Amino acid sequence: DTAVSQTPKYLVTQMGNDKSIKCEQNLGHDTMYWYKQDSKKFLKIMFSYNNKELIINETVPNRFSPKSPDKAHLNLHINSLELGDSAVYFCASSWTSDYNEQFFGPGTRLTVL
Amino acid sequence: QQPVQSPQAVILREGEDAVINCSSSKALYSVHWYRQKHGEAPVFLMILLKGGEQKGHEKISASFNEKKQQSSLYLTASQLSYSGTYFCGTERDNQGGKLIFGQGTELSVKP
């Protein structure tokens, strides 16, 4: 059984389009995250939700909007896509505890043309 | 503030040892270590907390020097499967899992 899953795995789209990435975890974790990894492998946190409540909201363009319908799901919607949005987006989940090791999903490679 | 990892890259022969360092200019609450193979997701290896507690992989060890705000990951008797990019992620003041990752250290283990 996949612990953290993301769809789609690949996303190729034109500038200006709107797209969504979905994430689901079956680990029972109460916290979920979105990360962006650029072409230089720099891994940067974007958002975090704890029990459906936004707790980390880093400096990202407001074209990016996360939504958590329940604590097992965290989706990422991106409006008006730009070339610079091309990256791999990882979802992750963890418990809220001192030992909050994060389990990452397989990633979604977004290419904006 | 992004932690700084060193070295940036290292090449080993199977069975050799390596140390990867992670330094922060800020006081840390915890340090996480992850390994990412090409085209795959980062995988958790180890977490070290302020105060000395740690949890992680059986065959990989790490240390956390709170005075220097530096962590080191020790890879002993390396195997081919150890190849990948190693990231440290640092958390300040128990910020609910907000990890700031270093730039990564690329490790290649050759037969």
Side-chain angles (χ1 to χ4, degrees):
Chain A
D1 280 345
T2 304
V4 183
S5 58
Q6 292 179 230
T7 53
K9 189 164 175 59
Y10 299 97
L11 192 49
V12 181
T13 189
Q14 299 287 332
M15 269 175 52
N17 284 349
D18 304 337
K19 290 293 177 187
S20 291
I21 306 171
K22 295 187 176 183
C23 177
E24 177 181 0
Q25 56 94 5
N26 63 5
L27 297 166
H29 288 159
D30 56 6
T31 305
M32 296 184 73
Y33 312 81
W34 277 112
Y35 287 90
K36 177 181 179 182
Q37 187 170 45
D38 64 20
S39 57
K40 295 183 179 177
K41 291 190 178 178
F42 178 47
L43 192 58
K44 182 173 166 42
I45 190 164
M46 301 172 70
F47 302 104
S48 168
Y49 271 76
N50 177 262
N51 284 319
K52 302 195 297 175
E53 182 183 345
L54 181 65
I55 57 170
I56 296 172
N57 186 358
E58 288 297 284
T59 309
V60 299
N62 57 15
R63 299 181 294 104
F64 289 79
S65 52
K67 282 203 172 72
S68 181
D70 56 62
K71 74 174 192 176
H73 296 84
L74 179 61
N75 304 324
L76 183 66
H77 188 76
I78 317 170
N79 288 326
S80 304
L81 277 155
E82 300 178 357
L83 294 176
D85 297 334
S86 295
V88 179
Y89 292 84
F90 286 103
C91 174
S93 70
S94 76
W95 290 112
T96 304
S97 76
D98 287 341
Y99 296 107
N100 55 352
E101 60 262 43
Q102 296 181 20
F103 291 79
F104 283 76
T108 295
R109 181 173 292 277
L110 171 66
T111 303
V112 182
L113 303 173
Chain B
Q1 197 114 15
Q2 186 183 17
V4 177
Q5 289 183 231
S6 62
Q8 286 192 329
V10 60
I11 299 174
L12 298 175
R13 292 284 180 194
E14 256 187 305
E16 291 181 338
D17 302 339
V19 180
I20 300 172
N21 299 305
C22 174
S23 295
S24 173
S25 59
K26 305 286 185 184
L28 299 176
Y29 174 77
S30 70
V31 180
H32 296 219
W33 286 96
Y34 290 81
R35 176 171 60 213
Q36 184 179 27
K37 293 182 180 284
H38 182 70
E40 298 181 8
V43 173
F44 171 78
L45 295 175
M46 177 78 69
I47 179 170
L48 303 106
L49 299 180
K50 186 171 76 171
E53 294 183 65
Q54 57 180 263
K55 176 184 173 188
H57 203 282
E58 288 177 0
K59 295 185 180 179
I60 294 173
S61 62
S63 64
F64 179 21
N65 184 324
E66 291 177 41
K67 283 186 181 176
K68 292 184 178 179
Q69 300 306 321
Q70 179 176 322
S71 179
S72 297
L73 185 72
Y74 305 98
L75 303 164
T76 56
S78 58
Q79 305 169 18
L80 295 176
S81 62
Y82 285 12
S83 292
T85 303
Y86 288 76
F87 292 96
C88 68
T90 56
E91 184 181 14
R92 296 181 59 200
D93 303 325
N94 195 2
Q95 290 181 308
K98 179 180 170 179
L99 294 181
I100 307 299
F101 282 94
Q103 80 278 22
T105 294
E106 193 160 344
L107 180 80
S108 296
V109 181
K110 310 281 186 192

